[in-house]
Every structure is written in structure tokens, then in C-alpha cells.
Amino acid sequence: MASEDELNLLVIVVDVNPIWWGQQGQREPEFTLCKCLDAIMVMGNSHMAMTRTNRLAVIASHCQDSHFLYPSKTWKSGDSGGDEISSSRDGKYELLAVANNLIAEEIKNIMTKTEVTGNSTDTLMAGSLAKALCFGQEMKSRILVIKAADDCALQYMNFMNVIFAAQKQNILIDACVLDSDSGLLQQACDITGGLYLKIPQKVALAQYLLWVFLPDSEQRSQLVLPQPAHVDYRAACFCHRNLIEIGYVCSVCLSIFCNFSPICTTC
Amino acid sequence: LPVWAMASLSEEVLLVVKKVRQRKQDGTLYLMAERIAWGPEGKDRFTVSHLYSDIRCQKISPDGKAKIQLQLVLHTGDSTTFHFANESTALKDRDAAKELLQQLLPKFKKKANKELEEKNRMLQEDPVLFQLYKDLVVSQVISAEEFWANRLGGMNNGEPATCNKQEVGISGAFLVSTSNMIHNYFMLPYDSFENVKKKKLLHFKGLHVFALQADIRPQTDGCNGLRYNLTADIIESIFRTYPAVKQKYSENVPHNLTEKEFWTRFFQSHYFHRDRINTGSQDIFSECAKQDEKGLKSLVTQGVKNPLVDLLSLEDKTLDEGYGISKALPSTSNANKSVKESSNSAIIKRFNHHSAMVLAAGSRKGDVPTDQASETSSTDGNSRDSDFFQPPLKKVKLQEAIEYEDLQRENTPKTVALNLKKSDRYAHGPVPLQSQQYTTSQDIINSVGYIQQEMANYKPNLTRVLSSTTATSAIAALSPGGVLMQPVGQQSIHQMVPNDIQGELKHLYIAAGELLRHFWSCFPVNTPFLEEKVTKMKTNLERFQLTKLRPFQEKIQRQYLSANLTGHLEDMFQSAYNKFHIWQTRRMMRKT
């Protein structure tokens, strides 16, 4: 039984890769980044509405950087930041209104200032996760990743380090994947004990989020949720990048090869 | 009855005792090099035979009893009793047998006991090992010797003891207790002395209270009878501490004196008593006393090697009257010493010497060599050779005194830098190549422009996030039986197999792994021993497969478990058989 004063933090890491979302908006106008953000806001509001001790953080994962959408830098713990934010007009719980407004403001800022160069078209997911981990140090937290674009292989090392750090800190990583399966996230969810889900209908994102990802880990044991899929942990050899089941490992640099060779080409 | 008719092979017979009854039958008792045996009169064979290593201890009947008996208690708990029935020599016979056994048993006892103890300890401490032992040895897949072959290290195979057995030190109190006993004896009346008797050796803060059993009795008159028990431990302590006594022992026993007489004289001699007033008698120990004096003197001249310790500054200085004995001058000449003072100094001298000897014995490894000349250590003051060159101790001691280890800077282990030629491989890691969508720069510009436009006008509209149809279809997908809810049949295997089967499988893997390890470690086969072993291991593997694996497979088949749990094990065995077959054919070809 968690104590009444224990804070529960949910960090939502949204993949806002402008290239992918731009293309997506052209492919499927019914599900655009705006719609995605709406669904995320609904999820965030629901989380905060569940108990007083729930906290929320939203990070936008971009090609250039990772950015905290909420809380903004002026956020003081506990209370909402500014009085200059327009008070809610529809009788909404003020915290939620403030959060929504902040998120909207921030994402607009980020996206309008986007300058994408050709060689950095991948989402900086590892960095966002690292920020999320650092943010959730003092309280019991979990991370929900909404993934849009493809995996970036170059972030492999950082990604794995982040995953192991999360495991050590008992921080769950959930993943809701919109487009193509991500092996890295599958591993992350498997190792940390979170849920991985690739949703068949993007427009129903809000429903999936509320049904599967809103309950926290203790509540999940009481619910019937999609079973974790079998994760393919096979490594790929360094020479051909083929998945292998039995391989040879260099004892110095730990690189994996499919054929035996007395000299390691990496070191 | 000729002895050689009954003895097997070339056993050396050490003692023959006639007219010994066992189970109301007359016969003869034979003590041989490695065992004790008894054969009934008129018969050609031994009916009773026990190896010395099987005997735990021997017991004799108390002296007052009519029947003179000797009992052997084995490790298993069984006991055999021999009744010495020769009217004239029964006691002598029994004692001769007993003494011989006393000398022989310790030689065999230690070896067997230690091994068994070690094995038991290992089995108790490691439940995995215990299970392995049960699986492999108890069910006779491999023999116990093979099992223990690699595990006991220096115990089997007569290898030099590489295991670091710690030598048992000597209790400093072993002789003090005897002195105490005598002292107490002379102070107390006889009855209360008897009350001090206890049956077992008790350790109580270093003071030993002797157990008493009739063993050695000095020749005294009735009311001053002293009984002591000299256990083998104490004897060993005495020998290790006082090599001079050991020397005397080996010189005099058994030619001049029996063991009993030797120890009697020892305890009676003034050498042993606290007030060592040299009477220069025919005491065989007077020489020892002189030797001790000499040793003590040389010890003193050697001094202490630690330059930071100044023994000479320690003196019994008195401050004033009432703070101790007040004396005008500390007198050092012998002539002025009162009797009390000289006896005090004698005792102190003896204590110092005793402690020095105990410490010396502890630092001497193993037995004192009979060749005293080879001993170069001068810790006991009795060395024959002079000290060899000693490293400058002063510096070392100074260093020790001024430095604290934990205040030093921590020595981080020296690491070698990893030298990578292709470090970019680390960037992507062991991740398979995935076809990546190629986006042209035009695409990029378009997409970015689009999104910027879209987001510029963003206003959250949370009331229209979801339509009811999409919601219901999502819920349907998430409900049991839906697209996202996988069917039960694909449950992971560990949920389908019952726990006891899992446990059994684990044991099988451990046992099979052990056998396979022995098998594979034989290659490359380049000695005849390995050839034998590899053949033996193959038969062991086959036996294991037959006796353990097949029944397990049948069992899980009976339980309708469709999972193939033993496929991998079978594969491992098969590859071992293949290897053996290849090796065998090669060997055949080489021979032809």
C-alpha cells in the first residue's frame, strides 16, 4: 500500500519528429500531430485526476533536442506556475487547464522554430529518455513513450545504457508504437517490466492510452491486458549485421562475429 | 599355528597374543601393519579383522575388574571386545596390545577421518553438490571415487597438500594446568581434590582442567596418589614446545624406560616443578634444565628485533612507599637475594622461557627436525647456527609505525585502454541492418513546412478526441479474444510445465553437465589415463541416458506435455557420442 504522500510521476515522451509527422499529416489527415497531442493531453489529465499525488511530465523528442513541454521551467513543485495563464473558462480543474495550455504553448514554440538539417533526421529518443530518468529521481515514476518514427541505430549504446539505468532505478518504460515496430523499445519494455503495444488504429490512440497505459504497475496485475510479446534478443554480428544465434565474441572489446577469426577487426 | 598360514600376502605381523577370547571363543589376536585380526583356536582363518583406519578408538576395562578386556569401537558404531584369558600374563598382554594400538591408530585415524570429514562438510555446505552426488553416485552412474577425484584437491592421489591446512597451535596452558593441579593438590585435602576430577577436558578461558582416567601412576604412597591423564595432544604439545624433552624421550624409551616410567619421572622431576632448584641429581632431566638456561641466556642476548621497542627501559620501578615494594636499591647480585626473591625470579624466568618455547614451536612448521643442526631459526634460543643476514628491520618498523594503510591514496587498479580500430561499430551495436526509408531533401523540406503550418494553428480540442465507433473498435481489440489479446495457447513454456518437472529437469541438466564436463575435458586424448577415462565417461554418459533421461522423457510423455523439454539434452549427448566415435575411428586408423 503506497503511502498517501508518495508522489507518482508519469513522464510521457512524445516523438515529434517533424519529418515523420509532416509525412503522416499528408498521408492520413485524420490523424495529425495535433490529434496525437490531444490524445496525450487527455491521458495526462486523466492521470492527474486520478489522485492528488499523481504528477505529470511531458517531453517532446525532436530531431534537434529534447524539450520539456510540461512542466515548464517556471514550474514550482506542487503549485502551478503562472497566474498569467488564462484561468479556465469551463470550470475545469485548474491544474489540468494550466497543464494543457502550457503543453500547447510549448509545442507550438518548438515546432515553429524547427530547423532540420539533412543529416539529423532521427529522433533523439535516448536523450529524451535520459532526461525523463533524471527528472523522476525523487519519486516513484514511470515513462510512457509514444513512438512515431523509426529506430535510430546509432543511438543503440545510449539507449541500452538508459534502459539498464531505468531497470536499476525500478522505473517502468511503456511503449505505444504508432508505425513500425521498434526492437529497442521492445527490449526496454521487457527489461523494465513495462508494456509494449503497437496499435492497429492510430485514430483510437486516446482509447488505447487510457485502457492500457493509464493504470500503473500495481493496478495492472488486477487487469486483463495484452500479453507481452516474445522479444527477439538475438544479436546481429558485427561483420554482416545478420541476426545470429551462436557467435564468437572477442574477449577484449566484446564485439560479436558469426565466423571465427583469430584477429578481431574491431580492436 | 603358523602365522603365515593366515596372513594374506606380505602383511607384517607386529604382535601376536595367544589365549584371547572373543565372543566366548578361544583364539589368538594378531596385530599387523594395517589391521588387527583375530582367529579362533584351531581354525585357519580370521573371523574378525578390522583395518586401523576403521577403528575410532579403543577402550580397556578398568584395572580392578576380574576380566581383562580390550574393546575396539569402529566408526560405524559397532564394537568388538577381546578378553585376555591367559591367567599369568593377561594384564601384560592386554597392555602390550593396547600400547601398540595406541601408537598405530593415530597414524591411520587422521587420514581417514579428515577425508570423510572434508567430504561431509562439502556435501553439507553445498546443496547443489549434494544433489549432484545423489544423482550420480547414489544411483551408481559414476563411482564415488570418480566423483571426488577432482574435488578434494590434495586429499586423494597422494598429491602434496596444496590445501592450506592451518597447523594447530599449542595451548600455552598445557603445562600450567598440570602445575596448577599439583599446586592445588598440595593445598587441598585429598577428598576435595577428588572433587575436582572431571571426566572431560574443559576449556575455560585458557585454563584446562584435566580429565582423569587411569593411565599413568607415579609410585607414591596411598593418600598422595596423583592421577593424571596424558592425552596424545598434550604429549605432542610437550614435544613440540620442548624439543629437548623429545630428544630425551627418543633416547630413553623404550630401551631404558617404558613410556609410563618416562612420564612419571618427568612429572616427578624438579625440571617440571615450579621451584626449579637445581639439585644436580641423577635426574635425566637435569640436562634439559641446563639446556633451557642456556637457551634463555642466548634469547636475552639476541634481544628484540624491533628497534622501536626498548625492553631495557622496563623495570619494576617503584614511586614511593605504598606504590609497590619500596626498596633502596634494586639489587642484582645473587648473594643478596632472599630465598623468596630467587624463587620468584626463577618462576618468572620459567614463564618467559615457556612462552618463548610455545611461540617458537608455533612458528616452526611441522615436526622438529631430528637434525638439530639444520635449524637456523633462533626464536627458541637453541639454534646451533648463527643468524643469517637479516633485512634492515628498523626501516620496516619505522615505516609501519608512521603510515596508516587506509589513509593512503586508493590504488585504482591499473586499466588498459581499449584500442578500437572500428569504433563506429559500437555506435550501432549488434543490431541488424534494417532497410531505412530514404527521404529526399525535398521531402524533408516539405514535411517540415507542413508540420510547422499545422502546429502554428494548434488549439487543443479535447472534446473531440475520439469518436464512439473508433473507441468501441479499440475496446474490442483489447478485450479477450481481440486482435491484440493473444490466445492462451501461446503461453510461455514455464507456465505450462509444472514446477516439479522443472526442478527435475534442472537436476538433470546439472548432472548431465557434470558428466559432459568430465567427458570433454579428456580431449585432446594424449595419455593412456585419458584414454581410459574418456571410454569410461562415455559408458557413464550412456548409463546416465538410460537410467535417468529415458524415464524422465517417459514421465513427461505420460503427462501429455507436448513441450520438447529434453531435446537439447539429447543433442548434447549425441554430439558427445559423435566426438567419441570420431576419436575412436581415428585411433583405430592410427593403429593399423
Side-chain angles (χ1 to χ4, degrees):
Chain A
M1 234 357 209
S3 72
E4 287 295 310
D5 300 328
E6 204 179 277
L7 299 177
N8 278 309
L9 174 68
L10 170 66
V11 184
I12 305 181
V13 176
V14 193
D15 181 359
V16 293
N17 190 323
I19 301 158
W20 190 89
W21 281 107
Q23 289 173 336
Q24 166 65 15
Q26 290 164 349
R27 275 195 299 257
E28 260 182 82
E30 358 25 289
F31 185 71
T32 60
L33 183 55
C34 302
K35 285 267 180 226
C36 178
L37 286 167
D38 283 350
I40 288 170
M41 272 194 232
V42 166
M43 167 79 176
N45 289 349
S46 312
H47 176 77
M48 286 200 284
M50 297 254 285
T51 61
R52 219 172 26 88
T53 54
N54 278 356
R55 296 281 182 270
L56 180 71
V58 184
I59 301 178
S61 189
H62 198 272
C63 308
Q64 302 159 305
D65 59 3
S66 316
H67 210 90
F68 268 93
L69 296 180
Y70 178 82
S72 71
K73 291 197 173 65
T74 57
W75 183 59
K76 294 185 192 74
S77 67
D79 310 312
S80 58
D83 311 300
E84 64 269 11
I85 310 287
S86 54
S87 56
S88 67
R89 291 187 202 113
D90 51 4
K92 205 188 294 182
Y93 176 29
E94 192 156 327
L95 179 62
L96 302 184
V98 166
N100 293 346
N101 289 336
L102 273 175
I103 293 174
E105 284 297 315
E106 283 300 317
I107 192 68
K108 275 200 265 192
N109 285 340
I110 295 171
M111 297 313 276
T112 45
K113 290 187 195 141
T114 303
E115 297 163 18
V116 182
T117 56
N119 52 2
S120 67
T121 56
D122 293 311
T123 328
L124 297 175
M125 187 60 67
S128 315
L129 284 176
K131 279 198 181 177
L133 282 181
C134 295
F135 188 74
Q137 284 281 347
E138 312 90 42
M139 39 196 146
K140 185 168 176 305
S141 60
R142 61 186 173 103
I143 302 175
L144 169 61
V145 178
I146 316 276
K147 187 138 192 345
D150 287 338
D151 264 347
C152 170
L154 292 168
Q155 292 179 30
Y156 176 79
M157 281 300 184
N158 300 332
F159 218 99
M160 293 313 285
N161 287 334
V162 162
I163 293 172
F164 290 125
Q167 185 199 28
K168 280 263 158 41
Q169 290 181 19
N170 292 322
I171 295 179
L172 260 151
I173 299 182
D174 295 319
C176 185
V177 174
L178 302 175
D179 193 7
S180 45
D181 272 317
S182 153
L184 289 173
L185 275 177
Q186 276 180 343
Q187 287 190 37
C189 299
D190 196 41
I191 291 173
T192 57
L195 266 176
Y196 176 91
L197 188 66
K198 177 171 177 313
I199 56 176
Q201 281 178 294
K202 295 197 202 59
V203 289
L205 176 64
Q207 183 60 57
Y208 289 112
L209 288 180
L210 291 173
W211 185 283
V212 179
F213 297 106
L214 186 58
D216 64 22
S217 53
E218 286 128 25
Q219 295 157 4
R220 279 179 205 178
S221 56
Q222 320 284 333
L223 302 169
V224 178
L225 293 171
Q227 292 295 315
H230 172 72
V231 183
D232 188 358
Y233 275 113
R234 280 182 300 168
C237 66
F238 276 52
C239 36
H240 309 105
R241 305 286 292 278
N242 295 330
L243 289 175
I244 50 174
E245 279 167 16
I246 299 178
Y248 301 86
V249 182
C250 168
S251 48
V252 175
C253 61
L254 298 181
S255 33
I256 302 168
F257 300 101
C258 45
N259 290 317
F260 174 72
S261 132
I263 304 171
C264 168
T265 45
T266 315
C267 66
Chain B
L1 205 58
V3 165
W4 52 263
M6 291 213 260
S8 63
L9 302 168
S10 53
E11 267 185 278
E12 188 194 332
V13 179
L14 301 172
L15 182 66
V16 179
V17 186
K18 297 213 174 69
K19 292 224 179 136
V20 176
R21 289 168 72 89
Q22 199 256 352
R23 297 236 181 115
K24 317 256 175 167
Q25 254 195 320
D26 274 322
T28 317
L29 186 69
Y30 300 87
L31 275 88
M32 298 192 273
E34 284 182 14
R35 60 183 176 133
I36 182 171
W38 178 88
E41 193 114 354
K43 289 271 171 53
D44 213 352
R45 49 183 180 77
F46 295 141
T47 46
V48 178
S49 161
H50 296 299
L51 288 172
Y52 294 132
S53 50
D54 288 338
I55 301 177
R56 189 156 54 123
C57 63
Q58 61 167 335
K59 293 188 189 166
I60 54 173
S61 54
D63 273 349
K65 280 204 151 179
K67 261 188 167 183
I68 296 174
Q69 292 178 314
L70 181 87
Q71 186 184 54
L72 300 171
V73 183
L74 305 176
H75 288 304
T76 55
D78 298 330
S79 59
T80 318
T81 315
F82 298 108
H83 174 204
F84 292 78
N86 191 336
E87 300 86 33
S88 46
T89 57
L91 189 59
K92 207 167 60 123
D93 291 338
R94 196 274 305 275
D95 287 342
K98 182 208 77 180
E99 277 171 30
L100 188 58
L101 273 174
Q102 239 177 354
Q103 287 174 18
L104 291 166
L105 281 182
K107 291 189 208 155
F108 294 89
K109 186 199 288 210
K110 272 189 198 143
K111 228 191 334 173
N113 254 356
K114 242 182 255 174
E115 270 184 48
L116 270 176
E117 256 176 52
E118 183 67 25
K119 286 182 188 172
N120 273 338
R121 191 187 58 83
M122 283 175 74
L123 284 181
Q124 267 171 17
E125 279 177 9
D126 188 358
V128 177
L129 190 68
F130 188 50
Q131 183 62 37
L132 199 58
Y133 184 82
K134 273 203 286 196
D135 282 339
L136 293 177
V137 178
V138 176
S139 57
Q140 301 194 347
V141 177
I142 63 174
S143 70
E145 285 140 24
E146 283 173 1
F147 182 79
W148 290 111
N150 287 347
R151 286 201 164 79
L152 285 179
M155 291 275 175
N156 289 340
N157 309 329
E159 276 169 358
T162 45
C163 45
N164 300 328
K165 282 183 287 181
Q166 277 191 312
E167 294 255 324
V168 178
I170 304 177
S171 149
F174 68 90
L175 282 182
V176 173
S177 43
T178 332
S179 318
N180 270 340
M181 288 302 290
I182 299 170
H183 183 78
N184 286 338
Y185 172 71
F186 283 113
M187 304 292 278
L188 303 168
Y190 189 58
D191 324 82
S192 44
F193 175 73
E194 287 287 301
N195 289 338
V196 177
K197 265 203 291 188
K198 284 191 180 31
K199 273 296 175 188
K200 283 216 152 63
L201 266 169
L202 294 174
H203 290 242
F204 184 68
K205 292 200 181 170
L207 261 184
H208 288 235
V209 177
F210 268 137
L212 301 176
Q213 257 184 19
D215 224 16
I216 290 181
R217 244 167 288 164
Q219 315 294 331
T220 54
D221 49 300
C223 60
N224 282 351
L226 271 180
R227 304 164 90 202
Y228 327 32
N229 177 33
L230 265 188
T231 63
D233 276 342
I234 296 182
I235 292 180
E236 196 189 320
S237 303
I238 295 178
F239 284 163
R240 275 167 76 179
T241 316
Y242 296 105
V245 175
K246 182 164 186 180
Q247 202 180 15
K248 287 291 171 189
Y249 180 86
S250 52
E251 282 170 12
N252 289 305
V253 174
H255 340 287
N256 299 344
L257 308 164
T258 63
E259 198 174 336
K260 198 198 282 192
E261 286 173 8
F262 178 81
W263 289 114
T264 315
R265 292 245 200 133
F266 176 77
F267 284 116
Q268 278 180 331
S269 77
H270 289 292
Y271 176 71
F272 177 71
H273 284 212
R274 48 203 291 249
D275 300 327
R276 258 207 221 161
I277 301 155
N278 288 329
T279 53
S281 61
Q282 311 91 333
D283 203 344
I284 50 172
F285 293 102
S286 57
E287 221 179 274
C288 296
K290 291 204 184 89
Q291 248 177 9
D292 282 349
E293 280 281 337
K294 220 174 33 172
L296 204 57
K297 279 210 174 69
S298 69
L299 249 184
V300 169
T301 48
Q302 262 172 37
V304 177
K305 292 199 185 79
N306 189 344
L308 294 177
V309 172
D310 183 10
L311 278 181
L312 297 176
S313 63
L314 298 172
E315 259 183 51
D316 282 337
K317 289 202 186 81
T318 62
L319 288 180
D320 202 348
E321 214 172 307
Y323 284 97
I325 310 164
S326 137
K327 267 199 236 169
L329 272 169
S331 139
T332 48
S333 82
N334 278 341
N336 290 344
K337 271 196 183 159
S338 64
V339 173
K340 188 167 181 210
E341 278 170 36
S342 67
S343 71
N344 280 347
S345 72
I347 278 205
I348 292 175
K349 231 199 285 191
R350 277 205 66 209
F351 271 132
N352 286 339
H353 179 70
H354 177 71
S355 313
M357 297 294 270
V358 170
L359 285 176
S363 60
R364 242 183 271 138
K365 291 265 189 260
D367 284 331
V368 176
T370 48
D371 173 23
Q372 288 280 6
S374 68
E375 204 170 287
T376 52
S377 82
S378 48
T379 40
D380 59 356
N382 276 335
S383 70
R384 309 285 178 259
D385 299 314
S386 54
D387 290 334
F388 288 126
F389 171 75
Q390 299 267 332
L393 269 173
K394 184 164 187 180
K395 206 164 184 183
V396 173
K397 292 288 177 187
L398 274 174
Q399 204 87 8
E400 276 176 25
I402 60 178
E403 284 177 354
Y404 280 113
E405 213 176 80
D406 43 355
L407 292 181
Q408 302 273 19
R409 205 175 336 138
E410 243 180 75
N411 285 334
T412 50
K414 287 213 164 76
T415 51
V416 180
L418 185 61
N419 186 13
L420 293 176
K421 288 216 181 73
K422 293 195 185 168
S423 54
D424 54 323
R425 279 190 182 170
Y426 270 70
H428 57 69
V431 166
L433 260 180
Q434 280 158 341
S435 60
Q436 304 214 302
Q437 288 175 322
Y438 179 67
T439 39
T440 63
S441 41
Q442 191 56 46
D443 286 336
I444 294 174
I445 298 171
N446 285 349
S447 312
V448 171
Y450 185 93
I451 199 73
Q452 279 178 336
Q453 213 177 21
E454 181 195 319
M455 290 311 289
N457 303 323
Y458 174 51
K459 212 160 167 1
N461 188 353
L462 298 186
T463 53
R464 289 194 180 278
V465 166
L466 205 55
S467 75
S468 55
T469 38
T470 36
T472 37
S473 66
I475 293 175
L478 287 170
S479 307
V483 154
L484 294 172
M485 307 297 282
Q486 286 166 352
V488 183
Q490 287 204 16
Q491 264 183 342
S492 61
I493 210 165
H494 80 265
Q495 289 168 332
M496 283 174 48
V497 176
N499 280 338
D500 54 340
I501 304 256
Q502 285 186 36
E504 241 183 274
L505 188 65
K506 277 187 202 149
H507 288 316
L508 277 177
Y509 260 96
I510 294 176
E514 182 65 18
L515 289 175
L516 284 166
R517 179 174 70 82
H518 278 288
F519 175 82
W520 287 104
S521 65
C522 297
F523 292 94
V525 181
N526 41 22
T527 70
F529 168 71
L530 283 177
E531 274 183 33
E532 225 182 276
K533 184 169 180 196
V534 81
T535 337
K536 207 165 24 132
M537 284 320 297
K538 182 194 178 258
T539 30
N540 284 341
L541 285 173
E542 284 173 342
R543 207 173 340 145
F544 180 84
Q545 208 177 6
L546 204 60
T547 56
K548 294 266 168 165
L549 200 52
R550 298 255 176 275
F552 180 72
Q553 280 170 321
E554 280 159 24
K555 179 168 160 191
I556 55 177
Q557 263 174 6
R558 264 182 281 130
Q559 290 190 5
Y560 303 114
L561 282 170
S562 54
N564 180 11
L565 294 174
T566 54
H568 180 239
L569 275 173
E570 297 271 352
D571 284 344
M572 291 201 290
F573 279 111
Q574 193 54 49
S575 53
Y577 298 147
N578 291 345
K579 176 77 180 177
F580 183 77
H581 183 71
I582 292 172
W583 170 77
Q584 219 173 22
T585 30
R586 280 208 197 123
R587 197 158 143 254
M588 291 296 154
M589 282 172 54
R590 242 182 289 136
K591 282 192 178 167
T592 55

